[in-house]
Amino acid sequence: MHYTNEQLKVIAHGAGHARIIAVAGSGKTQTLTAYVQNRLSQGANPRRLLVLMYNKAAQLAFEQRLKNLVGGQAIPDIRTFHSLGYRICQTLVKQGDMPAFQKNLMQDSELEPIVWRLLRELADPSIAEDLLTRKKKWVEPALAYFELVKSSMESPEIVFDGTGLPVQCQFFVTAFYNFEQWRMDQGKLTFADLIYEPARRFKASPALAAQFGGHMAEIIVDEFQDINPVQQFLLNTLHGGRGQVMVVGDPDQTIYEFRGSKPSLLTHEFDRVFGAVTDYRLSHTFRFSDALSLLANQVIAGNYADSAERTQCISHSSTGPTRVTQLPTADSAVGALQTIQAWAASRPLSDIAVINRLWANSARIELALLAQAIPYHMDNQQTVLERYELRPFRVLLQIAAGQVAGWDERARSHAWQSLLTQPYLKIKKATVDQLIQRLADTTEHWGRSLRNAIPESLSTYQSAALFERARWIEKAERAEGAAFPVVHGWIQQTDYLAALQDNAFSAAQVEDQVATVKAFAQFVRQAKWTLRDGADQLAELVERKTPSRVDALLITSIHKAKGREWPCVIIPEVNDRFFPYQPDGELTLASSAASERRLLYVGLTRAQQELVLLTPVPESAELVSALMPAAYVEGLEAFVAHLAEPVGELALPSGMQRASVEHYGRVKGLDPVSWRARDSQDLTAATVEHPTLGVGRVLEDSDAKLSIQFRQENQARSFKRDIVLPLLTVLAD
């Protein structure tokens, strides 16, 4: 096995605490396993070594690699933080220091309605109606707040004060206490509780904490940038002031801030807590070549005032070529499909990952793949056609196909449940349940049966809404013409999209559900399904769900892609709508520009051979992502060519982080670059054209910004110069 000088220094580390900053693809797992092997060969007791990994997959991979290195020799305990927390919880229960708990952890789907109920019980009358009708507005920030409390070692009151939430949300604090009481009464734990419960007991009882601390000669922690204060506290407890701690991570890959993680825990807090620390760097990536290394550095450089502050990602000389492509497309599904088909012509589909900022970005891509019978797997629980929000359309198509006659009473009840609650009508649940029970015997004439069953006790509005649904059911029953008008009619006449927004528990859930419904409707229209055969067409697509062992591409999210790599990576919707993503909502906790850059950085650095970024076409209403202007890719292509064959003078577009590029060149052994700005001319008073805003005149041109008065607007707009300049065309006066 060949190691770089940087890796050999880590492997040879002796006594004392150590911090390793490791860029994406730097071979840190290989380096850490070699380090552990070295420690074992020196006589270290494996029972006094503990390795903590960030997830189960990483744990298993590390364990297998280490076993291969040491043969039949005993190895240390290798765990995730949460599996360690689970074991500590079990011990605390046996000792009588913690109540017994149910084995199965609470899932998000169980948490959301409980939290909503608690909020309704506590809400001030002035917001009670708003909370009842706008679930996501309130439940999403409440859950985020609960998560932050359990990732912190501070009181719920102090955590709330740091969230920036308005005073009207102050009752979240009481809701948290009430939730905790309910949870303990039920003997339930959430995923976060596996660490939160032991940590808060250790904090309350130093004597109890002392029972668990100081037993390890060494603790090694992977992906340290993603730990939060409560995990840090647990680590401190286990250390107990004895032995040494080695941590490895990359502050630029901190993407779990909503769980309390902070880059500073790695970069600044570690040595403050543990004292003297030996620092190491793994700066060379073996995953991708210069073009992608340079792009990743450019994207993340916006988080630093000085590029010298960070460990830059440098492609190792042994790494094969990586192609970076910005593919302008009006339809991300079309762009993704073109890329997938081109790749699959000669290489396995399993080499491809489509990595989304939100799951909402995947619906149209999934449908395009199903239409072309291209196999795919999901890192999500459900494929697009299995999603809850499409159930009423499946029922309508089945009614049109005459399939309901053969259903049993249970199936008919489920169908009526979908038709009468999707979207949700402001009718008491008991009334809806009675109506479903009455209609469950219906085998024909569903629309007429619904009209006849409408209770007289309902309001005019409620009755009219049910009559409207009956009308569209009858249209389906006639089974005449295309399926799209019925699907579209149900969406429009029931105000389905607005209802999804009102009843979802989070902004991301709204994005996902609305995008799924829109994508399905568009798909039905393009496929030209008839009402008569739509159900069969749908069933055929559902049957195309890919078996687990079949060669297939993967659709995943940036968070789930963390720690993984693929030969080909496609990132859809690289635009200002999703990069950076700011969820709508009055009470939403906004994401910082720095955290959004880190997310994009993680997504980019999953690719090995090919990275395809699906960007808007110039004539669209969407703008290219402010996190990654088109000029980046253009400029980096020029610099990569310069690396291969240096020229005397190099022109790079405005907005390029010059210090970052110069550092890269120095590491690669280049002489200092003679720079020539490609677009240094002063544009003040120039007439320019923007792809979406039209023609305007530049009022001010500085190094940092452009101020432009567009003809179609009454006031000037101010832009960051490096972002907007690549989009502008300078016109002759």
Side-chain angles (χ1 to χ4, degrees), residues 544-662:
R544 290 181 184 176
K545 187 173 181 178
T546 308
S548 58
R549 296 185 178 181
V550 170
D551 176 46
L553 65 94
L554 178 69
I555 298 177
T556 188
S557 67
I558 293 177
H559 286 95
K560 287 187 176 292
K562 180 74 179 298
R564 304 157 77 182
E565 61 185 21
W566 295 268
C568 177
V569 166
I570 302 168
I571 303 181
E573 306 289 355
V574 183
N575 54 46
D576 261 1
R577 174 71 183 85
F578 295 104
F579 292 98
Y581 175 68
Q582 294 294 347
D584 297 328
E586 300 166 48
L587 310 180
T588 301
L589 300 177
S591 178
S592 69
S595 63
E596 289 293 305
R597 286 192 193 93
R598 287 191 285 268
L599 265 174
L600 181 56
Y601 179 87
V602 168
L604 299 174
T605 56
R606 301 309 95 196
Q608 296 170 297
Q609 300 172 24
E610 184 160 8
L611 171 68
V612 180
L613 307 165
L614 303 179
T615 59
V617 294
E619 60 270 18
S620 74
E622 294 178 329
L623 299 178
V624 175
S625 169
L627 303 181
M628 196 186 66
Y632 280 9
V633 174
E634 179 187 352
L636 296 174
E637 288 174 350
F639 190 76
V640 170
H642 180 78
L643 287 175
E645 189 175 342
V647 295
E649 187 177 60
L650 182 64
L652 291 181
S654 175
M656 297 287 294
Q657 298 286 339
R658 195 167 290 183
S660 173
V661 178
E662 287 178 334

Side-chain angles (χ1 to χ4, degrees), residues 376-559:
Y376 69 94
H377 298 306
M378 291 285 292
D379 263 343
N380 204 2
Q381 294 181 343
Q382 293 181 317
T383 59
V384 62
L385 296 176
E386 298 171 312
R387 294 180 190 172
Y388 170 83
E389 55 269 26
L390 296 186
R391 287 166 89 181
F393 308 114
R394 291 198 293 270
V395 173
L396 288 169
L397 292 174
Q398 288 165 332
I399 290 172
Q403 297 178 358
V404 299
W407 289 355
D408 59 22
E409 184 177 339
R410 180 181 176 87
R412 291 194 296 269
S413 294
H414 283 309
W416 279 114
Q417 179 78 25
S418 296
L419 294 173
L420 297 181
T421 63
Q422 290 182 256
Y424 171 73
L425 281 168
K426 295 179 175 64
I427 301 174
K428 292 180 179 179
K429 183 178 182 300
T431 303
V432 174
D433 290 344
Q434 291 172 2
L435 190 55
I436 292 171
Q437 187 176 5
R438 181 177 174 182
L439 292 167
D441 292 333
T442 307
T443 58
E444 60 181 357
H445 305 303
W446 279 43
R448 184 197 307 168
S449 299
L450 174 57
R451 284 204 317 273
N452 294 337
I454 295 174
E456 294 182 1
S457 59
L458 296 182
S459 69
T460 302
Y461 166 80
Q462 293 168 331
S463 298
L466 287 175
F467 268 107
E468 187 64 25
R469 295 192 191 195
R471 186 168 74 88
W472 285 100
I473 294 170
E474 288 178 321
K475 284 181 178 290
E477 286 179 300
R478 288 195 288 272
E480 298 172 354
F484 173 74
V486 171
V487 171
H488 183 257
W490 188 269
I491 295 171
Q492 293 293 109
Q493 299 305 316
T494 65
D495 210 8
Y496 197 22
L497 301 184
L500 289 174
Q501 293 177 355
D502 288 342
N503 291 289
F505 284 104
S506 70
Q509 191 182 70
V510 169
E511 294 272 8
D512 189 20
Q513 292 180 347
V514 170
T516 299
V517 171
K518 286 182 176 180
F520 179 76
Q522 186 176 355
F523 180 82
V524 170
R525 183 178 189 175
Q526 292 176 341
K528 298 181 179 179
W529 287 355
T530 66
L531 275 170
R532 196 170 297 278
D533 65 12
D536 291 337
Q537 299 274 13
L538 185 59
E540 183 183 338
L541 291 181
V542 172
E543 286 297 314
R544 290 181 184 176
K545 187 173 181 178
T546 308
S548 58
R549 296 185 178 181
V550 170
D551 176 46
L553 65 94
L554 178 69
I555 298 177
T556 188
S557 67
I558 293 177
H559 286 95

